[in-house]
């Protein structure tokens, strides 16, 4: 499914780092595979992360063909907020967005249950919605397949 122009042109503000007033749109990542890691700061297993996910993220962080975007459902007054999430994560992931500030728009675009976290969403270099999974091992397989297709073009 092709992402709509409205989806591609929705502007998001970063919630981490806090001192940045940077915005981005999905359309900024033309000709890249977009990997959205949708997590919830109120879901402890998301915050603690899994070693497997951290390893996969580090493996792909420097790949110029992939944009990794961490989208949080950062509810107010939770024990972990966006800035804590960023401080505890890898400093090379500058793109952290609070979907709560946008009334769950990213969750609604991909139509998944917010109580089922984390979600890994993949969009190809042509802005085609490719896949969604909750499995770290499936996420890595999907990324490899997409990269092979991308490099084969």
């Amino acid at each position: 499914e092709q992402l709509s122009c409205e989806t591609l042109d929705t502007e998001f503000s970063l919630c981490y780092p806090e001192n940045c007033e940077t915005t981005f749109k999905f359309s900024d990542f033309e000709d890249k595979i977009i990997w959205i890691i949708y997590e919830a700061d109120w879901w402890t297993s998301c915050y603690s992360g899994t070693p497997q996910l951290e390893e996969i993220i580090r493996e792909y962080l420097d790949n110029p063909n992939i944009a990794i975007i961490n989208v949080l459902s950062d509810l107010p007054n939770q024990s972990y907020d966006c800035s804590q999430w960023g401080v505890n994560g890898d400093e090379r992931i500058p793109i952290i967005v609070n979907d709560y500030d946008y009334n769950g728009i990213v969750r609604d675009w991909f139509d998944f249950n917010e109580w089922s976290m984390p979600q890994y969403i993949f969009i190809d270099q042509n802005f085609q919605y490719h896949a969604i999974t909750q499995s770290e091992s499936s996420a890595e397989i999907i990324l490899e397949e997409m990269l092979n297709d991308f490099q084969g073009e």
Side-chain angles (χ1 to χ4, degrees):
E1 179 178 328
Q2 179 75 38
L3 296 185
S4 71
C5 292
E6 180 183 351
T7 298
L8 292 174
D9 290 333
T10 299
E11 190 168 83
F12 292 94
S13 296
L14 298 184
C15 67
Y16 182 83
E18 293 175 336
N19 60 346
C20 295
E21 293 192 24
T22 305
T23 61
F24 79 93
K25 302 173 191 173
F26 285 102
S27 60
D28 295 339
F29 302 108
E30 188 173 8
D31 296 325
K32 290 183 182 273
I33 295 167
I34 301 172
W35 178 18
I36 301 170
I37 302 169
Y38 195 102
E39 301 175 288
D41 62 355
W42 42 266
W43 190 254
T44 308
S45 62
C46 285
Y47 183 76
S48 61
T50 64
Q52 183 181 8
L53 177 61
E54 289 295 319
E55 188 177 308
I56 295 168
I57 290 170
R58 284 190 184 94
E59 182 180 338
Y60 292 99
L61 269 175
D62 295 323
N63 188 315
N65 298 319
I66 297 177
I68 301 174
I69 301 172
N70 193 254
V71 178
L72 295 179
S73 177
D74 187 12
L75 301 175
N77 304 316
Q78 294 297 310
S79 54
Y80 303 115
D81 65 11
C82 184
S83 62
Q84 289 169 309
W85 200 277
V87 168
N88 288 321
D90 192 301
E91 65 207 30
R92 294 176 297 164
I93 303 179
I95 303 172
I96 302 179
V97 175
N98 182 5
D99 198 36
Y100 183 81
D101 291 343
Y102 298 91
N103 298 315
I105 192 171
V106 175
R107 180 197 64 232
D108 291 345
W109 285 340
F110 300 104
D111 194 31
F112 61 84
N113 183 335
E114 71 178 311
W115 300 107
S116 184
M117 299 287 184
Q119 297 283 343
Y120 308 116
I121 303 155
F122 300 91
I123 300 165
D124 72 15
Q125 65 276 13
N126 300 312
F127 299 119
Q128 295 278 334
Y129 167 69
H130 189 79
I132 188 168
T133 185
Q134 287 185 273
S135 160
E136 288 86 7
S137 56
S138 292
E140 187 167 26
I141 291 167
I142 291 166
L143 276 174
E144 280 302 313
E145 289 172 354
M146 292 180 74
L147 276 171
N148 288 338
D149 290 346
F150 181 79
Q151 292 163 350
E153 282 189 353

